[in-house]
Amino acid sequence: RAVEDVERVQFVECSFQSLKTEAPELKLVRWDGLGYGEFDISWSPRSWWVEISVIAVRRPVPARFNVLLTMNDFTVAGRARVTFAHDVGSCRVGLLGKPKKLRIKTSSRLVWGSVPLPVQMSLESTVMEQVERFLERSLVNGSKEFKIRKTVKTELGDEDVMRAVLAAERASEFRSRG
């Protein structure tokens, strides 16, 4: 159950599409100018998914197993603070408290030898604990914020496209094995 049980990450595949239909819903709560604003935020990027394959060891009896964990159906709702740079070239965003709503759908396949074992509840609990710890450390109550900068549009090269194709093929092969 603990992250310490993870011996090795085999791969991580992600899809974070940017779709207009999945934009966060924002409601202005307080505005003191560019230097400080508060928004209620609700966000459910349904197209996002993350897939992680790890080799884990369960103690005290060293039993090694492979876990494929898929996370999707993300939902977060809460209050965020936003501060903009004077030139509006960047902004900082952080949460004012723990999210009012936090949901991540998880599914898993665990292989111990060649026999799949159901461990959905344990994995889901561990994932949610780690996500909550990450949010607490990274974004909650002014401890930290993340910075968003305007980006300059760049074109993808042949090497970028080839890496994406290989990653998609690898994920597809792994999913078809289960």
PDB file of all heavy atoms in Angstrom, residues 4-43:
ATOM      1  N   GLU A   4       6.557   3.411  -0.613  1.00  0.00           N
ATOM      2  CA  GLU A   4       7.880   2.832  -0.365  1.00  0.00           C
ATOM      3  C   GLU A   4       7.975   1.422  -0.934  1.00  0.00           C
ATOM      4  O   GLU A   4       9.052   0.912  -1.148  1.00  0.00           O
ATOM      5  CB  GLU A   4       8.188   2.792   1.138  1.00  0.00           C
ATOM      6  CG  GLU A   4       8.284   4.154   1.788  1.00  0.00           C
ATOM      7  CD  GLU A   4       6.916   4.723   2.164  1.00  0.00           C
ATOM      8  OE1 GLU A   4       6.054   3.986   2.672  1.00  0.00           O
ATOM      9  OE2 GLU A   4       6.709   5.928   1.934  1.00  0.00           O
ATOM     10  N   ASP A   5       6.840   0.752  -1.150  1.00  0.00           N
ATOM     11  CA  ASP A   5       6.844  -0.603  -1.702  1.00  0.00           C
ATOM     12  C   ASP A   5       7.245  -0.630  -3.171  1.00  0.00           C
ATOM     13  O   ASP A   5       7.558  -1.690  -3.702  1.00  0.00           O
ATOM     14  CB  ASP A   5       5.458  -1.239  -1.564  1.00  0.00           C
ATOM     15  CG  ASP A   5       5.071  -1.504  -0.120  1.00  0.00           C
ATOM     16  OD1 ASP A   5       5.966  -1.496   0.750  1.00  0.00           O
ATOM     17  OD2 ASP A   5       3.873  -1.708   0.144  1.00  0.00           O
ATOM     18  N   VAL A   6       7.220   0.516  -3.831  1.00  0.00           N
ATOM     19  CA  VAL A   6       7.560   0.562  -5.254  1.00  0.00           C
ATOM     20  C   VAL A   6       9.060   0.385  -5.417  1.00  0.00           C
ATOM     21  O   VAL A   6       9.861   1.136  -4.881  1.00  0.00           O
ATOM     22  CB  VAL A   6       7.094   1.885  -5.904  1.00  0.00           C
ATOM     23  CG1 VAL A   6       7.618   1.994  -7.329  1.00  0.00           C
ATOM     24  CG2 VAL A   6       5.583   1.981  -5.872  1.00  0.00           C
ATOM     25  N   GLU A   7       9.415  -0.644  -6.168  1.00  0.00           N
ATOM     26  CA  GLU A   7      10.826  -0.934  -6.425  1.00  0.00           C
ATOM     27  C   GLU A   7      11.322  -0.202  -7.677  1.00  0.00           C
ATOM     28  O   GLU A   7      12.420   0.335  -7.699  1.00  0.00           O
ATOM     29  CB  GLU A   7      11.007  -2.446  -6.590  1.00  0.00           C
ATOM     30  CG  GLU A   7      12.433  -2.886  -6.816  1.00  0.00           C
ATOM     31  CD  GLU A   7      12.523  -4.384  -6.912  1.00  0.00           C
ATOM     32  OE1 GLU A   7      12.361  -4.913  -8.028  1.00  0.00           O
ATOM     33  OE2 GLU A   7      12.742  -5.013  -5.864  1.00  0.00           O
ATOM     34  N   ARG A   8      10.453  -0.181  -8.716  1.00  0.00           N
ATOM     35  CA  ARG A   8      10.877   0.430  -9.972  1.00  0.00           C
ATOM     36  C   ARG A   8       9.649   0.834 -10.783  1.00  0.00           C
ATOM     37  O   ARG A   8       8.674   0.103 -10.850  1.00  0.00           O
ATOM     38  CB  ARG A   8      11.701  -0.575 -10.775  1.00  0.00           C
ATOM     39  CG  ARG A   8      12.194  -0.073 -12.108  1.00  0.00           C
ATOM     40  CD  ARG A   8      13.185  -1.037 -12.744  1.00  0.00           C
ATOM     41  NE  ARG A   8      12.656  -2.362 -12.929  1.00  0.00           N
ATOM     42  CZ  ARG A   8      12.209  -2.856 -14.091  1.00  0.00           C
ATOM     43  NH1 ARG A   8      12.263  -2.121 -15.167  1.00  0.00           N
ATOM     44  NH2 ARG A   8      11.740  -4.079 -14.169  1.00  0.00           N
ATOM     45  N   VAL A   9       9.705   2.011 -11.380  1.00  0.00           N
ATOM     46  CA  VAL A   9       8.661   2.456 -12.305  1.00  0.00           C
ATOM     47  C   VAL A   9       9.063   1.983 -13.689  1.00  0.00           C
ATOM     48  O   VAL A   9      10.146   2.303 -14.172  1.00  0.00           O
ATOM     49  CB  VAL A   9       8.496   3.992 -12.281  1.00  0.00           C
ATOM     50  CG1 VAL A   9       7.497   4.442 -13.342  1.00  0.00           C
ATOM     51  CG2 VAL A   9       8.079   4.461 -10.897  1.00  0.00           C
ATOM     52  N   GLN A  10       8.182   1.195 -14.317  1.00  0.00           N
ATOM     53  CA  GLN A  10       8.484   0.694 -15.657  1.00  0.00           C
ATOM     54  C   GLN A  10       8.190   1.743 -16.718  1.00  0.00           C
ATOM     55  O   GLN A  10       8.973   1.942 -17.622  1.00  0.00           O
ATOM     56  CB  GLN A  10       7.688  -0.577 -15.944  1.00  0.00           C
ATOM     57  CG  GLN A  10       8.180  -1.751 -15.133  1.00  0.00           C
ATOM     58  CD  GLN A  10       7.438  -3.009 -15.489  1.00  0.00           C
ATOM     59  OE1 GLN A  10       6.245  -3.110 -15.255  1.00  0.00           O
ATOM     60  NE2 GLN A  10       8.153  -3.951 -16.067  1.00  0.00           N
ATOM     61  N   PHE A  11       7.004   2.368 -16.612  1.00  0.00           N
ATOM     62  CA  PHE A  11       6.701   3.471 -17.516  1.00  0.00           C
ATOM     63  C   PHE A  11       5.550   4.295 -16.974  1.00  0.00           C
ATOM     64  O   PHE A  11       4.780   3.838 -16.134  1.00  0.00           O
ATOM     65  CB  PHE A  11       6.411   3.001 -18.954  1.00  0.00           C
ATOM     66  CG  PHE A  11       5.093   2.291 -19.137  1.00  0.00           C
ATOM     67  CD1 PHE A  11       3.911   3.014 -19.294  1.00  0.00           C
ATOM     68  CD2 PHE A  11       5.035   0.914 -19.184  1.00  0.00           C
ATOM     69  CE1 PHE A  11       2.706   2.366 -19.471  1.00  0.00           C
ATOM     70  CE2 PHE A  11       3.833   0.261 -19.359  1.00  0.00           C
ATOM     71  CZ  PHE A  11       2.664   0.991 -19.503  1.00  0.00           C
ATOM     72  N   VAL A  12       5.469   5.526 -17.462  1.00  0.00           N
ATOM     73  CA  VAL A  12       4.363   6.422 -17.175  1.00  0.00           C
ATOM     74  C   VAL A  12       3.909   6.987 -18.517  1.00  0.00           C
ATOM     75  O   VAL A  12       4.722   7.509 -19.272  1.00  0.00           O
ATOM     76  CB  VAL A  12       4.777   7.584 -16.240  1.00  0.00           C
ATOM     77  CG1 VAL A  12       3.615   8.540 -16.039  1.00  0.00           C
ATOM     78  CG2 VAL A  12       5.295   7.057 -14.920  1.00  0.00           C
ATOM     79  N   GLU A  13       2.635   6.824 -18.816  1.00  0.00           N
ATOM     80  CA  GLU A  13       2.050   7.387 -20.029  1.00  0.00           C
ATOM     81  C   GLU A  13       0.960   8.361 -19.600  1.00  0.00           C
ATOM     82  O   GLU A  13       0.183   8.061 -18.687  1.00  0.00           O
ATOM     83  CB  GLU A  13       1.441   6.297 -20.911  1.00  0.00           C
ATOM     84  CG  GLU A  13       2.428   5.280 -21.432  1.00  0.00           C
ATOM     85  CD  GLU A  13       3.358   5.815 -22.504  1.00  0.00           C
ATOM     86  OE1 GLU A  13       3.023   6.833 -23.147  1.00  0.00           O
ATOM     87  OE2 GLU A  13       4.422   5.226 -22.692  1.00  0.00           O
ATOM     88  N   CYS A  14       0.891   9.515 -20.249  1.00  0.00           N
ATOM     89  CA  CYS A  14      -0.082  10.538 -19.876  1.00  0.00           C
ATOM     90  C   CYS A  14      -0.732  11.132 -21.113  1.00  0.00           C
ATOM     91  O   CYS A  14      -0.109  11.196 -22.175  1.00  0.00           O
ATOM     92  CB  CYS A  14       0.601  11.692 -19.128  1.00  0.00           C
ATOM     93  SG  CYS A  14       1.613  11.199 -17.746  1.00  0.00           S
ATOM     94  N   SER A  15      -1.955  11.579 -20.945  1.00  0.00           N
ATOM     95  CA  SER A  15      -2.620  12.360 -21.977  1.00  0.00           C
ATOM     96  C   SER A  15      -3.318  13.526 -21.291  1.00  0.00           C
ATOM     97  O   SER A  15      -4.250  13.322 -20.511  1.00  0.00           O
ATOM     98  CB  SER A  15      -3.647  11.509 -22.728  1.00  0.00           C
ATOM     99  OG  SER A  15      -4.357  12.323 -23.653  1.00  0.00           O
ATOM    100  N   PHE A  16      -2.823  14.729 -21.537  1.00  0.00           N
ATOM    101  CA  PHE A  16      -3.397  15.941 -20.967  1.00  0.00           C
ATOM    102  C   PHE A  16      -3.818  16.851 -22.110  1.00  0.00           C
ATOM    103  O   PHE A  16      -3.150  17.825 -22.420  1.00  0.00           O
ATOM    104  CB  PHE A  16      -2.398  16.657 -20.052  1.00  0.00           C
ATOM    105  CG  PHE A  16      -1.946  15.828 -18.890  1.00  0.00           C
ATOM    106  CD1 PHE A  16      -0.625  15.454 -18.754  1.00  0.00           C
ATOM    107  CD2 PHE A  16      -2.849  15.422 -17.928  1.00  0.00           C
ATOM    108  CE1 PHE A  16      -0.200  14.694 -17.679  1.00  0.00           C
ATOM    109  CE2 PHE A  16      -2.441  14.656 -16.844  1.00  0.00           C
ATOM    110  CZ  PHE A  16      -1.120  14.295 -16.722  1.00  0.00           C
ATOM    111  N   GLN A  17      -4.924  16.493 -22.744  1.00  0.00           N
ATOM    112  CA  GLN A  17      -5.401  17.286 -23.869  1.00  0.00           C
ATOM    113  C   GLN A  17      -5.920  18.630 -23.378  1.00  0.00           C
ATOM    114  O   GLN A  17      -6.425  18.749 -22.275  1.00  0.00           O
ATOM    115  CB  GLN A  17      -6.519  16.540 -24.586  1.00  0.00           C
ATOM    116  CG  GLN A  17      -6.059  15.234 -25.198  1.00  0.00           C
ATOM    117  CD  GLN A  17      -7.181  14.554 -25.947  1.00  0.00           C
ATOM    118  OE1 GLN A  17      -7.973  15.214 -26.609  1.00  0.00           O
ATOM    119  NE2 GLN A  17      -7.254  13.254 -25.840  1.00  0.00           N
ATOM    120  N   SER A  18      -5.765  19.617 -24.221  1.00  0.00           N
ATOM    121  CA  SER A  18      -6.272  20.954 -23.908  1.00  0.00           C
ATOM    122  C   SER A  18      -7.481  21.213 -24.803  1.00  0.00           C
ATOM    123  O   SER A  18      -7.339  21.563 -25.964  1.00  0.00           O
ATOM    124  CB  SER A  18      -5.171  21.992 -24.172  1.00  0.00           C
ATOM    125  OG  SER A  18      -5.655  23.276 -23.933  1.00  0.00           O
ATOM    126  N   LEU A  19      -8.664  20.985 -24.232  1.00  0.00           N
ATOM    127  CA  LEU A  19      -9.899  21.134 -24.990  1.00  0.00           C
ATOM    128  C   LEU A  19     -10.728  22.287 -24.435  1.00  0.00           C
ATOM    129  O   LEU A  19     -10.903  22.410 -23.223  1.00  0.00           O
ATOM    130  CB  LEU A  19     -10.722  19.843 -24.917  1.00  0.00           C
ATOM    131  CG  LEU A  19     -10.027  18.553 -25.361  1.00  0.00           C
ATOM    132  CD1 LEU A  19     -10.918  17.353 -25.076  1.00  0.00           C
ATOM    133  CD2 LEU A  19      -9.688  18.632 -26.836  1.00  0.00           C
ATOM    134  N   LYS A  20     -11.259  23.113 -25.325  1.00  0.00           N
ATOM    135  CA  LYS A  20     -12.103  24.233 -24.881  1.00  0.00           C
ATOM    136  C   LYS A  20     -13.290  23.749 -24.069  1.00  0.00           C
ATOM    137  O   LYS A  20     -13.705  24.391 -23.111  1.00  0.00           O
ATOM    138  CB  LYS A  20     -12.586  25.043 -26.082  1.00  0.00           C
ATOM    139  CG  LYS A  20     -11.519  25.869 -26.732  1.00  0.00           C
ATOM    140  CD  LYS A  20     -12.080  26.676 -27.884  1.00  0.00           C
ATOM    141  CE  LYS A  20     -10.974  27.460 -28.548  1.00  0.00           C
ATOM    142  NZ  LYS A  20     -11.468  28.286 -29.652  1.00  0.00           N
ATOM    143  N   THR A  21     -13.827  22.595 -24.439  1.00  0.00           N
ATOM    144  CA  THR A  21     -15.006  22.068 -23.742  1.00  0.00           C
ATOM    145  C   THR A  21     -14.684  21.620 -22.313  1.00  0.00           C
ATOM    146  O   THR A  21     -15.597  21.396 -21.523  1.00  0.00           O
ATOM    147  CB  THR A  21     -15.607  20.877 -24.510  1.00  0.00           C
ATOM    148  OG1 THR A  21     -14.600  19.868 -24.660  1.00  0.00           O
ATOM    149  CG2 THR A  21     -16.126  21.317 -25.865  1.00  0.00           C
ATOM    150  N   GLU A  22     -13.405  21.471 -21.992  1.00  0.00           N
ATOM    151  CA  GLU A  22     -12.999  21.021 -20.663  1.00  0.00           C
ATOM    152  C   GLU A  22     -12.303  22.117 -19.858  1.00  0.00           C
ATOM    153  O   GLU A  22     -11.604  21.845 -18.898  1.00  0.00           O
ATOM    154  CB  GLU A  22     -12.081  19.802 -20.776  1.00  0.00           C
ATOM    155  CG  GLU A  22     -12.768  18.604 -21.358  1.00  0.00           C
ATOM    156  CD  GLU A  22     -11.876  17.388 -21.454  1.00  0.00           C
ATOM    157  OE1 GLU A  22     -10.657  17.483 -21.229  1.00  0.00           O
ATOM    158  OE2 GLU A  22     -12.412  16.331 -21.767  1.00  0.00           O
ATOM    159  N   ALA A  23     -12.518  23.355 -20.241  1.00  0.00           N
ATOM    160  CA  ALA A  23     -11.914  24.478 -19.511  1.00  0.00           C
ATOM    161  C   ALA A  23     -12.482  24.539 -18.100  1.00  0.00           C
ATOM    162  O   ALA A  23     -13.641  24.198 -17.870  1.00  0.00           O
ATOM    163  CB  ALA A  23     -12.189  25.788 -20.246  1.00  0.00           C
ATOM    164  N   PRO A  24     -11.671  24.977 -17.137  1.00  0.00           N
ATOM    165  CA  PRO A  24     -12.196  25.116 -15.771  1.00  0.00           C
ATOM    166  C   PRO A  24     -13.304  26.158 -15.714  1.00  0.00           C
ATOM    167  O   PRO A  24     -13.286  27.140 -16.456  1.00  0.00           O
ATOM    168  CB  PRO A  24     -10.984  25.599 -14.963  1.00  0.00           C
ATOM    169  CG  PRO A  24      -9.818  25.574 -15.855  1.00  0.00           C
ATOM    170  CD  PRO A  24     -10.278  25.365 -17.243  1.00  0.00           C
ATOM    171  N   GLU A  25     -14.266  25.935 -14.829  1.00  0.00           N
ATOM    172  CA  GLU A  25     -15.309  26.927 -14.580  1.00  0.00           C
ATOM    173  C   GLU A  25     -14.832  27.803 -13.437  1.00  0.00           C
ATOM    174  O   GLU A  25     -14.463  27.307 -12.379  1.00  0.00           O
ATOM    175  CB  GLU A  25     -16.619  26.238 -14.199  1.00  0.00           C
ATOM    176  CG  GLU A  25     -17.201  25.420 -15.321  1.00  0.00           C
ATOM    177  CD  GLU A  25     -18.476  24.698 -14.896  1.00  0.00           C
ATOM    178  OE1 GLU A  25     -19.146  25.165 -13.947  1.00  0.00           O
ATOM    179  OE2 GLU A  25     -18.777  23.673 -15.511  1.00  0.00           O
ATOM    180  N   LEU A  26     -14.795  29.120 -13.663  1.00  0.00           N
ATOM    181  CA  LEU A  26     -14.318  30.064 -12.663  1.00  0.00           C
ATOM    182  C   LEU A  26     -15.430  31.032 -12.283  1.00  0.00           C
ATOM    183  O   LEU A  26     -16.174  31.503 -13.143  1.00  0.00           O
ATOM    184  CB  LEU A  26     -13.140  30.874 -13.218  1.00  0.00           C
ATOM    185  CG  LEU A  26     -11.917  30.086 -13.673  1.00  0.00           C
ATOM    186  CD1 LEU A  26     -10.923  31.006 -14.371  1.00  0.00           C
ATOM    187  CD2 LEU A  26     -11.264  29.393 -12.511  1.00  0.00           C
ATOM    188  N   LYS A  27     -15.522  31.323 -10.995  1.00  0.00           N
ATOM    189  CA  LYS A  27     -16.471  32.317 -10.509  1.00  0.00           C
ATOM    190  C   LYS A  27     -15.694  33.282  -9.622  1.00  0.00           C
ATOM    191  O   LYS A  27     -15.082  32.877  -8.632  1.00  0.00           O
ATOM    192  CB  LYS A  27     -17.580  31.646  -9.706  1.00  0.00           C
ATOM    193  CG  LYS A  27     -18.599  32.622  -9.162  1.00  0.00           C
ATOM    194  CD  LYS A  27     -19.666  31.894  -8.358  1.00  0.00           C
ATOM    195  CE  LYS A  27     -20.614  32.899  -7.738  1.00  0.00           C
ATOM    196  NZ  LYS A  27     -21.552  32.245  -6.831  1.00  0.00           N
ATOM    197  N   LEU A  28     -15.686  34.542  -9.999  1.00  0.00           N
ATOM    198  CA  LEU A  28     -14.962  35.559  -9.241  1.00  0.00           C
ATOM    199  C   LEU A  28     -15.599  35.744  -7.864  1.00  0.00           C
ATOM    200  O   LEU A  28     -16.802  35.954  -7.745  1.00  0.00           O
ATOM    201  CB  LEU A  28     -14.958  36.887  -9.998  1.00  0.00           C
ATOM    202  CG  LEU A  28     -14.202  38.038  -9.329  1.00  0.00           C
ATOM    203  CD1 LEU A  28     -12.724  37.716  -9.203  1.00  0.00           C
ATOM    204  CD2 LEU A  28     -14.415  39.327 -10.106  1.00  0.00           C
ATOM    205  N   VAL A  29     -14.766  35.665  -6.824  1.00  0.00           N
ATOM    206  CA  VAL A  29     -15.226  35.834  -5.453  1.00  0.00           C
ATOM    207  C   VAL A  29     -14.711  37.158  -4.887  1.00  0.00           C
ATOM    208  O   VAL A  29     -15.430  37.876  -4.209  1.00  0.00           O
ATOM    209  CB  VAL A  29     -14.748  34.657  -4.560  1.00  0.00           C
ATOM    210  CG1 VAL A  29     -15.115  34.878  -3.104  1.00  0.00           C
ATOM    211  CG2 VAL A  29     -15.301  33.345  -5.074  1.00  0.00           C
ATOM    212  N   ARG A  30     -13.467  37.495  -5.198  1.00  0.00           N
ATOM    213  CA  ARG A  30     -12.840  38.724  -4.682  1.00  0.00           C
ATOM    214  C   ARG A  30     -11.821  39.211  -5.703  1.00  0.00           C
ATOM    215  O   ARG A  30     -11.094  38.417  -6.283  1.00  0.00           O
ATOM    216  CB  ARG A  30     -12.150  38.404  -3.352  1.00  0.00           C
ATOM    217  CG  ARG A  30     -11.407  39.558  -2.749  1.00  0.00           C
ATOM    218  CD  ARG A  30     -10.789  39.149  -1.439  1.00  0.00           C
ATOM    219  NE  ARG A  30      -9.854  40.172  -0.997  1.00  0.00           N
ATOM    220  CZ  ARG A  30      -9.063  40.022   0.025  1.00  0.00           C
ATOM    221  NH1 ARG A  30      -9.073  38.916   0.733  1.00  0.00           N
ATOM    222  NH2 ARG A  30      -8.240  40.982   0.379  1.00  0.00           N
ATOM    223  N   TRP A  31     -11.762  40.530  -5.895  1.00  0.00           N
ATOM    224  CA  TRP A  31     -10.798  41.104  -6.835  1.00  0.00           C
ATOM    225  C   TRP A  31     -10.216  42.372  -6.240  1.00  0.00           C
ATOM    226  O   TRP A  31     -10.913  43.345  -6.018  1.00  0.00           O
ATOM    227  CB  TRP A  31     -11.460  41.408  -8.173  1.00  0.00           C
ATOM    228  CG  TRP A  31     -10.499  41.894  -9.201  1.00  0.00           C
ATOM    229  CD1 TRP A  31     -10.345  43.170  -9.650  1.00  0.00           C
ATOM    230  CD2 TRP A  31      -9.528  41.112  -9.894  1.00  0.00           C
ATOM    231  NE1 TRP A  31      -9.350  43.237 -10.587  1.00  0.00           N
ATOM    232  CE2 TRP A  31      -8.819  41.980 -10.757  1.00  0.00           C
ATOM    233  CE3 TRP A  31      -9.175  39.773  -9.877  1.00  0.00           C
ATOM    234  CZ2 TRP A  31      -7.800  41.558 -11.591  1.00  0.00           C
ATOM    235  CZ3 TRP A  31      -8.156  39.346 -10.705  1.00  0.00           C
ATOM    236  CH2 TRP A  31      -7.488  40.228 -11.550  1.00  0.00           C
ATOM    237  N   ASP A  32      -8.917  42.338  -5.960  1.00  0.00           N
ATOM    238  CA  ASP A  32      -8.203  43.510  -5.454  1.00  0.00           C
ATOM    239  C   ASP A  32      -7.224  44.033  -6.500  1.00  0.00           C
ATOM    240  O   ASP A  32      -6.224  44.647  -6.159  1.00  0.00           O
ATOM    241  CB  ASP A  32      -7.445  43.155  -4.169  1.00  0.00           C
ATOM    242  CG  ASP A  32      -8.365  42.802  -3.016  1.00  0.00           C
ATOM    243  OD1 ASP A  32      -9.552  43.169  -3.075  1.00  0.00           O
ATOM    244  OD2 ASP A  32      -7.910  42.141  -2.071  1.00  0.00           O
ATOM    245  N   GLY A  33      -7.487  43.749  -7.754  1.00  0.00           N
ATOM    246  CA  GLY A  33      -6.597  44.155  -8.831  1.00  0.00           C
ATOM    247  C   GLY A  33      -5.701  42.998  -9.253  1.00  0.00           C
ATOM    248  O   GLY A  33      -5.867  41.862  -8.811  1.00  0.00           O
ATOM    249  N   LEU A  34      -4.732  43.314 -10.108  1.00  0.00           N
ATOM    250  CA  LEU A  34      -3.848  42.271 -10.624  1.00  0.00           C
ATOM    251  C   LEU A  34      -3.058  41.570  -9.528  1.00  0.00           C
ATOM    252  O   LEU A  34      -2.667  40.421  -9.680  1.00  0.00           O
ATOM    253  CB  LEU A  34      -2.876  42.843 -11.656  1.00  0.00           C
ATOM    254  CG  LEU A  34      -3.501  43.334 -12.961  1.00  0.00           C
ATOM    255  CD1 LEU A  34      -2.427  43.957 -13.849  1.00  0.00           C
ATOM    256  CD2 LEU A  34      -4.196  42.200 -13.682  1.00  0.00           C
ATOM    257  N   GLY A  35      -2.840  42.249  -8.415  1.00  0.00           N
ATOM    258  CA  GLY A  35      -2.028  41.686  -7.344  1.00  0.00           C
ATOM    259  C   GLY A  35      -2.703  40.604  -6.535  1.00  0.00           C
ATOM    260  O   GLY A  35      -2.035  39.825  -5.847  1.00  0.00           O
ATOM    261  N   TYR A  36      -4.052  40.522  -6.582  1.00  0.00           N
ATOM    262  CA  TYR A  36      -4.721  39.486  -5.802  1.00  0.00           C
ATOM    263  C   TYR A  36      -6.169  39.322  -6.250  1.00  0.00           C
ATOM    264  O   TYR A  36      -6.912  40.290  -6.368  1.00  0.00           O
ATOM    265  CB  TYR A  36      -4.721  39.826  -4.308  1.00  0.00           C
ATOM    266  CG  TYR A  36      -5.239  38.686  -3.452  1.00  0.00           C
ATOM    267  CD1 TYR A  36      -4.395  37.662  -3.058  1.00  0.00           C
ATOM    268  CD2 TYR A  36      -6.567  38.632  -3.069  1.00  0.00           C
ATOM    269  CE1 TYR A  36      -4.856  36.606  -2.289  1.00  0.00           C
ATOM    270  CE2 TYR A  36      -7.043  37.572  -2.302  1.00  0.00           C
ATOM    271  CZ  TYR A  36      -6.185  36.573  -1.917  1.00  0.00           C
ATOM    272  OH  TYR A  36      -6.649  35.521  -1.160  1.00  0.00           O
ATOM    273  N   GLY A  37      -6.541  38.084  -6.491  1.00  0.00           N
ATOM    274  CA  GLY A  37      -7.923  37.740  -6.803  1.00  0.00           C
ATOM    275  C   GLY A  37      -8.232  36.358  -6.269  1.00  0.00           C
ATOM    276  O   GLY A  37      -7.335  35.526  -6.108  1.00  0.00           O
ATOM    277  N   GLU A  38      -9.503  36.114  -5.966  1.00  0.00           N
ATOM    278  CA  GLU A  38      -9.944  34.798  -5.515  1.00  0.00           C
ATOM    279  C   GLU A  38     -11.056  34.316  -6.437  1.00  0.00           C
ATOM    280  O   GLU A  38     -11.942  35.089  -6.799  1.00  0.00           O
ATOM    281  CB  GLU A  38     -10.462  34.832  -4.074  1.00  0.00           C
ATOM    282  CG  GLU A  38      -9.397  35.066  -3.053  1.00  0.00           C
ATOM    283  CD  GLU A  38      -9.951  35.100  -1.632  1.00  0.00           C
ATOM    284  OE1 GLU A  38     -11.131  34.718  -1.417  1.00  0.00           O
ATOM    285  OE2 GLU A  38      -9.197  35.525  -0.740  1.00  0.00           O
ATOM    286  N   PHE A  39     -11.000  33.043  -6.782  1.00  0.00           N
ATOM    287  CA  PHE A  39     -11.986  32.435  -7.657  1.00  0.00           C
ATOM    288  C   PHE A  39     -12.422  31.098  -7.078  1.00  0.00           C
ATOM    289  O   PHE A  39     -11.601  30.356  -6.553  1.00  0.00           O
ATOM    290  CB  PHE A  39     -11.387  32.159  -9.050  1.00  0.00           C
ATOM    291  CG  PHE A  39     -11.034  33.383  -9.827  1.00  0.00           C
ATOM    292  CD1 PHE A  39      -9.805  34.005  -9.659  1.00  0.00           C
ATOM    293  CD2 PHE A  39     -11.929  33.897 -10.744  1.00  0.00           C
ATOM    294  CE1 PHE A  39      -9.473  35.131 -10.383  1.00  0.00           C
ATOM    295  CE2 PHE A  39     -11.602  35.031 -11.474  1.00  0.00           C
ATOM    296  CZ  PHE A  39     -10.371  35.644 -11.296  1.00  0.00           C
ATOM    297  N   ASP A  40     -13.716  30.794  -7.188  1.00  0.00           N
ATOM    298  CA  ASP A  40     -14.166  29.432  -6.987  1.00  0.00           C
ATOM    299  C   ASP A  40     -13.910  28.722  -8.306  1.00  0.00           C
ATOM    300  O   ASP A  40     -14.217  29.257  -9.376  1.00  0.00           O
ATOM    301  CB  ASP A  40     -15.658  29.377  -6.629  1.00  0.00           C
ATOM    302  CG  ASP A  40     -15.909  29.729  -5.171  1.00  0.00           C
ATOM    303  OD1 ASP A  40     -14.973  29.589  -4.348  1.00  0.00           O
ATOM    304  OD2 ASP A  40     -17.038  30.133  -4.840  1.00  0.00           O
ATOM    305  N   ILE A  41     -13.317  27.547  -8.224  1.00  0.00           N
ATOM    306  CA  ILE A  41     -12.943  26.816  -9.429  1.00  0.00           C
ATOM    307  C   ILE A  41     -13.550  25.422  -9.389  1.00  0.00           C
ATOM    308  O   ILE A  41     -13.601  24.787  -8.345  1.00  0.00           O
ATOM    309  CB  ILE A  41     -11.403  26.749  -9.586  1.00  0.00           C
ATOM    310  CG1 ILE A  41     -11.005  26.046 -10.877  1.00  0.00           C
ATOM    311  CG2 ILE A  41     -10.756  26.100  -8.394  1.00  0.00           C
ATOM    312  CD1 ILE A  41      -9.536  26.150 -11.206  1.00  0.00           C
ATOM    313  N   SER A  42     -14.021  24.987 -10.528  1.00  0.00           N
ATOM    314  CA  SER A  42     -14.517  23.624 -10.705  1.00  0.00           C
ATOM    315  C   SER A  42     -13.962  23.130 -12.030  1.00  0.00           C
ATOM    316  O   SER A  42     -14.096  23.795 -13.057  1.00  0.00           O
ATOM    317  CB  SER A  42     -16.043  23.618 -10.721  1.00  0.00           C
ATOM    318  OG  SER A  42     -16.503  22.308 -10.923  1.00  0.00           O
ATOM    319  N   TRP A  43     -13.326  21.957 -11.991  1.00  0.00           N
ATOM    320  CA  TRP A  43     -12.651  21.487 -13.198  1.00  0.00           C
ATOM    321  C   TRP A  43     -12.734  19.985 -13.292  1.00  0.00           C
ATOM    322  O   TRP A  43     -12.415  19.273 -12.335  1.00  0.00           O
ATOM    323  CB  TRP A  43     -11.208  21.935 -13.163  1.00  0.00           C
ATOM    324  CG  TRP A  43     -10.464  21.808 -14.445  1.00  0.00           C
ATOM    325  CD1 TRP A  43     -10.976  21.706 -15.704  1.00  0.00           C
ATOM    326  CD2 TRP A  43      -9.053  21.792 -14.596  1.00  0.00           C
ATOM    327  NE1 TRP A  43      -9.970  21.629 -16.632  1.00  0.00           N
ATOM    328  CE2 TRP A  43      -8.779  21.685 -15.962  1.00  0.00           C
ATOM    329  CE3 TRP A  43      -8.005  21.852 -13.702  1.00  0.00           C
ATOM    330  CZ2 TRP A  43      -7.490  21.626 -16.467  1.00  0.00           C
ATOM    331  CZ3 TRP A  43      -6.718  21.804 -14.201  1.00  0.00           C
ATOM    332  CH2 TRP A  43      -6.465  21.699 -15.566  1.00  0.00           C
TER     333      TRP A  43
END
